[in-house]
Amino acid sequence: MINLTYSNGIFFYLALCFCTIAILWARELWRNRAYSWKSNSRRVLNCPGCHISFIAPENTNVTRCPRCNSICFYRER
């Protein structure tokens, strides 16, 4: 039989909880890096009519809003 004092039991319980949290945290960091997407902030357009933000194709300066179908222009800032 294994001798386990009260203080050792609490230590192992806390160590197990800490290891579980550390593993879950590392998994979440890996998932964020693996499944995240990055957009070029220059091509995120905001429609002046309905105020929706959407991603435009890279090589276009004029596009249509997907919600209200109005023409949106890309302006350099």
Side-chain angles (χ1 to χ4, degrees):
M1 187 162 176
I2 298 173
N3 280 343
L4 186 65
T5 63
Y6 187 69
S7 61
N8 286 343
I10 291 176
F11 172 75
F12 286 125
Y13 175 75
L14 290 176
L16 180 66
C17 289
F18 177 74
C19 289
T20 303
I21 289 172
I23 289 170
L24 290 175
W25 177 61
R27 180 179 172 263
E28 186 65 24
L29 288 177
W30 175 77
R31 286 187 63 207
N32 283 340
R33 207 173 308 132
Y35 294 111
S36 67
W37 59 276
K38 296 176 185 168
S39 70
N40 190 351
S41 62
R42 292 181 28 203
R43 293 299 175 184
V44 175
L45 296 177
N46 190 8
C47 177
C50 63
H51 302 290
I52 188 175
S53 296
F54 60 96
I55 298 174
E58 283 292 321
N59 298 326
T60 60
N61 290 330
V62 178
T63 187
R64 292 203 173 258
C65 174
R67 182 187 286 173
C68 66
N69 206 23
S70 66
I71 296 175
C72 299
F73 295 100
Y74 172 71
R75 295 184 183 97
E76 299 256 347
R77 293 184 186 170

